[in-house]
């Protein structure tokens, strides 16, 4: 099993200057190696397999791959002695990052789209470096021993689990200081996998929205915090101060840091909320079902600010990772018509976004729109297109029926009364599928013997 812990660093002035120097030198080296690859690609866009007889074949340049660029680091250190201050493995990791960024350019994602072209790092844009290997006893009390930097003070807010060893160490610069990320591994702990099949009992459906952050299929709701909207007034003040500062001045740099800290505070609050919500959901069910949303597409609509503030993508990623670590499971279902289809009878009831109540004219069920969607999500994850409410008395818990002039509502009421009279009847005795109408269910229930 592999996991990662992150701690806050408190370097002194000398260590701080060393880290800043390393980041700047690594940024220049990254840009230089990336420029080498771009130059080769522009001069050799395709292999030469045919040419006119009167024209000589130009000599092709060597492809600057990972190994050739790593061998060339010796020449760089000879020409620029300042690069000798950087640890050799940290230096090689910079070349590896160039390789990964350049190779990713030619790959396609799951939708068949090519990824973006790698860009050169501007000043201050190279924010981290990694030690691929480090001593196992590098942490002593509240200090971590970093090669060629020294012992840096560490705020260890939680201990490292027993049996886990440190594989890599990454130093990251953020708005409020420096952090160290420890990649931990324990081969004796197996990777858990959920072997439980989703059923109506062990599955919980969630419908994420903007009125409430999520509504579960049990009727519980989690209010949406809207951290960004609450901090907009403070951000507006800080950005006004930044706008008034002269470019290149020290006061402008302080104003930039103040804005960055406020944005980081909002991101930390949102992430903490996502972790706590995910833990609470996983404590209630073994399988969590959610919609397979196109969040990037939704973020381009007029609701983009609210959707980005909610952070659905980050929450689903956290929920999936924590479920895998706990041996549980998450299921993404097709989101089509989850709010329109009736969770009781399966009929489609068209409604606009501002209509927050699901009122079915076919079966007479009146429930909250988000609760109706959450129940549909749960049923789709289990494999039922419609909840077998007619075969399960708990299906009507919390439902409200319409006035008696609806014939479907009358039939549903009769079915419910029969269930109260014959509580021992099972769904198999009815022999029907989830799409059976109330009238057919009533006929079959009348044939059941006490």
């Amino acid at each position: 099993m592999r996991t990662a812990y992150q701690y806050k660093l408190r370097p002194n002035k000398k260590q701080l200057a060393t880290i800043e120097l390393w980041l700047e030198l690594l940024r220049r080296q990254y840009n230089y190696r990336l420029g080498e690859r771009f130059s080769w690609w522009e001069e050799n866009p395709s292999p030469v397999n045919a040419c006119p007889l009167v024209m000589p074949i130009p000599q092709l340049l060597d492809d600057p791959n990972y190994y050739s660029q790593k061998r060339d680091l010796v020449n760089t250190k000879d020409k620029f002695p300042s690069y000798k201050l950087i640890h050799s493995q940290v230096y090689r990791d910079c070349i590896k990052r160039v390789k990964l960024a350049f190779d990713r350019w030619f790959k396609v994602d799951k939708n068949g789209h090519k990824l973006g072209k790698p860009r050169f790092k501007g000043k201050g844009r190279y924010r981290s470096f990694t030690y691929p290997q480090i001593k196992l006893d590098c942490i002593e009390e509240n200090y971590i021993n970093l090669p060629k930097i020294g012992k840096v003070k560490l705020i260890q807010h939680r201990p490292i689990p027993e049996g886990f060893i440190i594989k890599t160490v990454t130093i990251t610069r953020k708005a409020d200081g420096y952090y160290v990320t420890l990649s931990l591994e324990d081969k004796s702990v197996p990777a858990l996998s959920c072997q439980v099949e989703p059923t109506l009992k062990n599955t919980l459906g969630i419908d994420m929205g903007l009125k409430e952050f999520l509504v579960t299929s049990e009727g519980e709701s989690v209010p949406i915090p809207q951290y960004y909207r609450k901090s907009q007034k403070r951000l507006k003040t800080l950005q006004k101060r930044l706008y008034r500062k002269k470019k290149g001045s020290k006061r402008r740099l302080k104003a930039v840091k103040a804005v960055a800290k406020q944005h980081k505070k909002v991101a930390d609050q949102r992430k903490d909320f996502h972790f706590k919500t995910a833990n609470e959901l996983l404590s209630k069910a073994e399988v969590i079902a959610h919609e397979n949303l196109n969040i990037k597409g939704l973020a381009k609509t007029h609701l983009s600010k609210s959707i980005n503030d909610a952070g659905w993508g980050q929450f689903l990623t956290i929920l999936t990772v924590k479920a895998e670590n706990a041996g549980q499971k998450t299921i993404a279902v097709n989101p089509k018509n989850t709010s329109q289809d009736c969770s009781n009878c399966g009929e489609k009831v068209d409604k606009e976004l501002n209509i927050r109540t699901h009122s079915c004219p076919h079966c007479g069920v009146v429930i909250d729109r988000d609760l109706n969607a959450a129940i549909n999500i749960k049923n789709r994850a289990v494999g039922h297109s419609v909840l077998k409410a007619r075969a399960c008395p708990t299906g009507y818990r919390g439902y409200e029926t319409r006035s008696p002039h609806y014939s479907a509502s009358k039939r549903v009421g009769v079915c419910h009364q029969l269930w109260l009279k014959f509580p021992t009847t099972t769904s198999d005795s009815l022999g029907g599928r989830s799409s059976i109408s109330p009238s057919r269910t009533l006929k079959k229930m009348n044939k059941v013997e006490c």
Side-chain angles (χ1 to χ4, degrees), residues 242 245-246 248-258:
L242 173 62
K245 299 297 184 290
K246 183 179 178 181
S249 63
K250 291 185 178 180
R251 289 187 175 183
R252 179 179 174 84
L253 182 60
K254 289 183 179 180
V256 169
K257 289 183 178 181

Side-chain angles (χ1 to χ4, degrees), residues 207-382:
D207 176 66
M208 293 178 294
L210 299 178
K211 181 182 177 182
E212 302 287 344
F213 181 72
L214 62 86
V215 175
T216 68
S217 55
E218 302 297 330
E220 300 177 352
S221 62
V222 177
I224 191 166
Q226 292 186 333
Y227 294 113
Y228 178 76
R229 289 189 179 274
K230 292 178 181 178
S231 66
Q232 275 186 311
K233 186 176 181 180
R234 173 64 178 168
L235 281 170
K236 183 178 179 180
T237 303
L238 294 175
Q239 287 166 347
K240 279 185 177 180
R241 294 177 185 174
L242 173 62
Y243 180 76
R244 296 191 186 104
K245 299 297 184 290
K246 183 179 178 181
K247 290 186 178 181
S249 63
K250 291 185 178 180
R251 289 187 175 183
R252 179 179 174 84
L253 182 60
K254 289 183 179 180
V256 169
K257 289 183 178 181
V259 174
K261 285 183 179 180
Q262 184 63 28
H263 278 291
K264 185 180 182 300
K265 180 180 178 181
V266 173
D268 290 344
Q269 288 176 327
R270 186 186 297 117
K271 192 173 184 179
D272 179 70
F273 166 74
H274 288 165
F275 269 103
K276 290 179 179 178
T277 306
N279 285 333
E280 187 176 354
L281 289 176
L282 293 174
S283 65
K284 295 179 179 178
E286 296 180 353
V287 181
I288 306 296
H290 61 85
E291 293 176 303
N292 187 16
L293 297 173
N294 180 16
I295 301 176
K296 287 185 178 180
L298 293 172
K300 296 178 182 178
T301 62
H302 64 284
L303 298 173
S304 58
K305 182 185 288 187
S306 298
I307 292 173
N308 290 325
D309 192 11
W312 294 339
Q314 177 179 265
F315 170 72
L316 293 178
T317 301
I318 292 173
L319 180 65
T320 303
V321 172
K322 293 191 73 65
E324 292 176 354
N325 293 340
Q328 295 175 265
K329 192 175 184 180
T330 58
I331 300 177
V333 303
N334 186 2
K336 184 177 181 181
N337 293 332
T338 53
S339 297
Q340 309 294 334
D341 294 343
C342 180
S343 59
N344 182 41
C345 64
E347 296 292 337
K348 185 177 180 180
V349 183
D350 294 327
K351 58 181 78 69
E352 297 294 333
L353 187 61
N354 58 348
I355 301 176
R356 307 310 305 173
T357 303
H358 170 75
S359 180
C360 182
H362 305 281
C363 64
V365 170
V366 180
I367 56 175
D368 182 73
R369 174 197 181 108
D370 297 333
L371 175 59
N372 176 72
I375 297 173
N376 283 330
I377 293 169
K378 174 182 177 180
N379 296 336
R380 291 185 185 183
V382 174

Side-chain angles (χ1 to χ4, degrees), residues 410-422 445:
K410 292 181 180 180
R411 290 196 298 270
V412 169
V414 173
C415 290
H416 193 198
Q417 292 176 5
L418 287 173
W419 266 114
L420 296 176
K421 187 176 181 181
F422 306 113
M445 292 182 70

Side-chain angles (χ1 to χ4, degrees), residues 46-87:
S46 61
V48 177
N49 55 10
C51 65
L53 295 178
V54 296
M55 294 291 294
I57 299 177
Q59 184 178 1
L60 298 180
L61 300 175
D62 294 334
D63 183 5
N65 54 24
Y66 169 68
Y67 299 100
S68 65
Q69 289 187 330
K70 192 167 65 171
R71 287 193 299 267
D72 192 51
L73 292 178
V74 179
N75 300 328
T76 303
K77 291 181 180 180
D78 292 338
K79 294 180 180 178
F80 305 98
S82 58
Y83 281 96
K84 295 180 181 179
L85 301 174
I86 303 176
H87 193 268

